Amino acid sequence: MTLNCLVVDDEPVARKGIANYVEQTPFLKLIATCKNALEANDCLSNEDIDLLFLDIQMPDLTGIEFIESLKNPPAFIFTTA
């Protein structure tokens, strides 16, 4: 089984680091990376995402607020510096 993943973080270095981890894990498939919750929402509307790596602290909408706003959120892992 392969899990389709989305990485959401406002920090480019963090996005790249998590994306690299996902790409090196055989059962994970990186679908996209997003720099904020608005981009992530668009991606979730267009892609089948099983697992979300989500930064807690982001401008405008935090990761917690974003997850709470979704009717049927995928599985998620909060990330933070």
Side-chain angles (χ1 to χ4, degrees):
M1 176 181 188
T2 301
L3 299 175
N4 291 337
C5 300
L6 176 62
V7 175
V8 185
D9 199 303
D10 60 317
E11 295 292 331
V13 173
R15 276 195 312 271
K16 184 174 180 166
I18 297 167
N20 286 339
Y21 167 77
V22 170
E23 290 173 334
Q24 293 176 20
T25 306
F27 61 90
L28 300 178
K29 179 180 179 186
L30 182 63
I31 301 300
T33 63
C34 300
K35 63 183 175 186
N36 58 48
L38 297 176
E39 283 184 9
N41 196 45
D42 288 342
C43 187
L44 287 172
S45 298
N46 297 316
E47 300 287 346
D48 182 26
I49 302 298
D50 302 306
L51 180 59
L52 186 60
F53 290 89
L54 182 60
D55 186 17
I56 292 175
Q57 282 302 120
M58 294 185 292
D60 299 322
L61 190 65
T62 69
I64 294 170
E65 292 168 336
F66 178 59
I67 281 295
E68 290 176 340
S69 75
L70 300 175
K71 289 185 181 185
N72 294 310
F76 59 91
I77 297 171
F78 282 129
T79 61
T80 188

